[in-house]
Amino acid sequence: ELGHRLRGLARESRLKIGFILVFALLLWAGLFVTFLRSFTFIGQFPGLREVLLEHLFSLLFFALLVMLTFSTAIISFGSLFRAPECSFLLVQPVRPETVFVYKFIESLVFSSWALVFLGMPALLAYGLTGDAPRYFFPLSLVAFVPFVVVPGGIGAGVMLLLVRYLPRTRRALFLWGALAAGALLVVIFYQAGFG
């Protein structure tokens, strides 16, 4: 399916592709400048810098982790149970586990590009303003791999459990999703000290 999407992209207008690429680069540069200026401003308060940055990074990457978990679950559901390609692959002489791994990797790529797009300017700006050692930048790239795979795996696992054990009516699925989201919010507020 990825090859099909790339071939479809090649048939698109060059003006459209160029506009999207320029807009994406401007957005990335804007995020980088925003993070750089923010970290520079916070650096003016030496006693607060470590505390503020620790909480800011925790909040940013927690939000990205939750988004990645949910997006991988949703994309995995669509690619495993709604896509005609999956039905075709399951009748081929291929093990079902292989089909699942293939679709999981595909879902992970589609759901994690935004995480890398949003997270890399923050890490780059942090490294530049904090006088990080040179190995900080390649290690940050390496650290993105487990940060993407672990919540993606959790999202896919939760999706499989929901499909297996929940009734197939939309009302019941909505109810269980609302209950799970409510329970998650209660835990987050309790951990943050609001409860």
Side-chain angles (χ1 to χ4, degrees), residues 15-38:
L15 178 64
K16 179 181 176 182
I17 294 172
F19 179 78
I20 292 171
L21 285 175
V22 168
F23 181 77
L25 288 173
L26 288 175
L27 179 61
W28 195 93
L31 285 171
F32 172 70
V33 170
T34 301
F35 282 120
L36 190 67
R37 290 175 66 96
S38 300

Side-chain angles (χ1 to χ4, degrees), residues 8-100:
L9 188 64
R11 291 191 294 268
E12 293 287 342
S13 165
R14 289 183 181 175
L15 178 64
K16 179 181 176 182
I17 294 172
F19 179 78
I20 292 171
L21 285 175
V22 168
F23 181 77
L25 288 173
L26 288 175
L27 179 61
W28 195 93
L31 285 171
F32 172 70
V33 170
T34 301
F35 282 120
L36 190 67
R37 290 175 66 96
S38 300
F39 294 153
T40 303
F41 176 75
I42 292 172
Q44 296 174 358
F45 308 98
L48 295 177
R49 176 182 164 83
E50 289 75 16
V51 176
L52 283 175
L53 287 182
E54 179 182 339
H55 288 294
L56 284 174
F57 263 89
S58 297
L59 188 61
L60 171 67
F61 282 96
F62 177 74
L64 292 174
L65 185 137
V66 170
M67 287 191 301
L68 182 62
T69 303
F70 277 104
S71 64
T72 305
I74 292 168
I75 293 172
S76 295
F77 177 77
S79 66
L80 282 170
F81 296 102
R82 298 291 183 199
E85 178 194 17
C86 195
S87 302
F88 171 76
L89 289 174
L90 287 172
V91 297
Q92 301 302 312
V94 180
R95 297 179 61 179
E97 296 86 357
T98 305
V99 175
F100 174 77

